[in-house]
C-alpha cells in the first residue's frame, strides 16, 4: 500500500507506451550513472520513455546523463530489464521522494534485483582510476543527519520504521559480479571491493574532507546512489552497487605553507611551490565514457548469472 505518490499513473503510462507485454514485468532494474547510459546498447527490443512522459519523474539536469526509462531484454536468456538512463540527485534540488521514485516504480513493475552504477572518486592510491568497486558498505553522513529518504512520515505502511542496513549489499549479487569478471577474463585488479561514502556535493571535497572520509573507513566517494539503496532496501529489493572510479580525490599529505614561502622569500631563498590538482566533471565524464564498455559487459554478464539461477 502506498500513501500519496503517483505510482498508478506512472504504471498505466508505462503499459500504454510499452507495447510488448513481456516487458511490463521486468525482473532486473539497472540505474546508469554518469557516462554509463551506453548500457542501453545491451538491450534488445528496447523501448525508451522520456521521464517527461512519466508522472513522478523529474528531468536529470546533469551533463552526461540522459533522462529516460529504457525497457528491453538483456543477455543470452533475454532477461527482461528496466534501466534508468540518468538519475536524480539531492544537489539538483530534488527531494528524497523524487530521487528514489524510479526505484519504487521498479519494485511495482516486478523488479527483484537492482544493479546501481555510479562514478566515484577514489580516496586511496590502492584503488586507481578505471577500477570498478563492488560496494560492500556505505558511510552516509547525510543519512545520519536527516537527509535519509526514510526520514519523516512513512510513505508506505509496508516500509519498516527502523530499516536495518547492516546487510544492505547483496552477497549473492556481489558474488555474481566477481564470477562475471572471471568469465569475462578481466584482470584481477579490474574489480575491487570497498566502502562508498555518500556526500551531497555538488562541490568536490576539500583535502581535509577527503582525509576525513578516508579515515572514516571509506574507499570511494560520490554524490549519488545511497538514497536509491535505502529505498531499494525499504522495497525489499536485492542491491548491488558498482562504482567506476573516475578520479583520485586530491588528498595531499602536506599543505603548501604560504607562511614558510614568505619567510623563504624574505630570506632570499628559492621557493618550491607544489601544484595541487583539482577534480573536474569533464574528467569524470571522460573516464565514464572510456570505461562504459567494460561496465556494460559486466552488467550484462551479471544479468546472465541472475537469469540462470
Ligand atoms: N567526489 C565526489 N563525487 C564524485 C567524485 C569525487 O571525487 N568523482 C565522481 N563523483
Amino acid at each position: 500500500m502506498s500513501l500519496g505518490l503517483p505510482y498508478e499513473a506512472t504504471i498505466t503510462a508505462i503499459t500504454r507506451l510499452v507495447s510488448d507485454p513481456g516487458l511490463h514485468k521486468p525482473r532486473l532494474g539497472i540505474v546508469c550513472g554518469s557516462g554509463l547510459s551506453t548500457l542501453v546498447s545491451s538491450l534488445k527490443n528496447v523501448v525508451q520513455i522520456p521521464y517527461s512522459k512519466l508522472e513522478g519523474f523529474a528531468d536529470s539536469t546533469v551533463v552526461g546523463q540522459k533522462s529516460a526509462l529504457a525497457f528491453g531484454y538483456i543477455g543470452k536468456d533475454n532477461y527482461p530489464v528496466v534501466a534508468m538512463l540518468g538519475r536524480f540527485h539531492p544537489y539538483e534540488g530534488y527531494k528524497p521522494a523524487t530521487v528514489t521514485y524510479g526505484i519504487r516504480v521498479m519494485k511495482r513493475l516486478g523488479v527483484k534485483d537492482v544493479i546501481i552504477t555510479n562514478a566515484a572518486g577514489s580516496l586511496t592510491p590502492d584503488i586507481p582510476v578505471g577500477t570498478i568497486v563492488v560496494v560492500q558498505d556505505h558511510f552516509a553522513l547525510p543519512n545520519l543527519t536527516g537527509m535519509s529518504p526514510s526520514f519523516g512520515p512513512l510513505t508506505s505502511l509496508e516500509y519498516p520504521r527502523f530499516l536495518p542496513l547492516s546487510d544492505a549489499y547483496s552477497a549473492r549479487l556481489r558474488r555474481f559480479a566477481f564470477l562475471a569478471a572471471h568469465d569475462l577474463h578481466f584482470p584481477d585488479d579490474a574489480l575491487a571491493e570497498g566502502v562508498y561514502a555518500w556526500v551531497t556535493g555538488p562541490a568536490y571535497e576539500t583535502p581535509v574532507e577527503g582525509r576525513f572520509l578516508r579515515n572514516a573507513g571509506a574507499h570511494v566517494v560520490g554524490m549519488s546512489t545511497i538514497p536509491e539503496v535505502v529505498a531499494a532496501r525499504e522495497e525489499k529489493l536485492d542491491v548491488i552497487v558498482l562504482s567506476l572510479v573516475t578520479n583520485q580525490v586530491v588528498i595531499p599529505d602536506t599543505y603548501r605553507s604560504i607562511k614558510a614561502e614568505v619567510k623563504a622569500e624574505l630570506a632570499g631563498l628559492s621557493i618550491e611551490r607544489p601544484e595541487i590538482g583539482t577534480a573536474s566533471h569533464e574528467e569524470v565524464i571522460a573516464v565514464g565514457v572510456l570505461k562504459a564498455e567494460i561496465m556494460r559487459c559486466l552488467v550484462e554478464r551479471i544479468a546472465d548469472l541472475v537469469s540462470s539461477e
Side-chain angles (χ1 to χ4, degrees), residues 119-122 196 199 203-205 221-223 244 246-249 279 284:
S122 171
Y196 178 96
V199 294
Y204 289 111
E205 296 66 42
V221 54
M223 304 174 195
L244 171 65
T246 52
N247 59 290
Q248 283 289 340
V249 175
V284 168

Side-chain angles (χ1 to χ4, degrees), residues 29-33 37 51 57 68-70 82-88 98-99 101-103 106 228:
I30 304 171
V31 180
C32 304
S37 288
Y51 292 150
F57 280 85
L69 211 54
V82 54
M84 286 184 69
L85 309 179
R87 55 145 64 88
F88 311 107
T98 304
V99 175
Y101 190 70
I103 296 289
M106 285 179 180
E228 291 134 298

Side-chain angles (χ1 to χ4, degrees), residues 134-139 165-166 168-169 174 194-197 220 226:
V134 179
V135 172
Q136 55 191 176
D137 193 3
H138 72 232
F139 175 62
L165 286 173
S166 49
Y169 298 92
R174 283 151 60 196
V195 174
Y196 178 96
V220 291
I226 301 312

Side-chain angles (χ1 to χ4, degrees), residues 78-155:
N78 289 325
Y79 203 54
V81 305
V82 54
M84 286 184 69
L85 309 179
R87 55 145 64 88
F88 311 107
H89 311 81
Y91 67 72
E92 296 172 88
Y94 293 126
K95 296 212 158 58
T98 304
V99 175
T100 58
Y101 190 70
I103 296 289
R104 301 198 192 281
V105 166
M106 285 179 180
K107 165 73 179 196
R108 281 152 186 82
L109 288 168
V111 163
K112 302 282 179 222
D113 299 306
V114 197
I115 301 177
I116 302 181
T117 67
N118 62 44
S122 171
L123 295 160
T124 158
D126 296 342
I127 302 184
V129 169
T131 310
I132 293 174
V133 175
V134 179
V135 172
Q136 55 191 176
D137 193 3
H138 72 232
F139 175 62
L141 271 180
N143 281 0
L144 302 179
T145 56
M147 210 200 259
S148 164
S150 319
F151 199 75
L154 284 177
T155 51

Side-chain angles (χ1 to χ4, degrees), residues 18 20 22-23 30 38-48 70-83 296 300 303-304 307:
V18 180
D20 179 348
L23 291 178
I30 304 171
T38 53
L39 259 169
V40 75
S41 62
S42 281
L43 305 186
K44 287 160 257 175
N45 295 16
V46 62
V47 182
Q48 290 193 43
F71 291 80
Y73 298 100
I74 197 168
K76 59 178 172 44
D77 298 329
N78 289 325
Y79 203 54
V81 305
V82 54
R296 191 182 68 75
E300 194 173 317
D304 275 346
S307 68

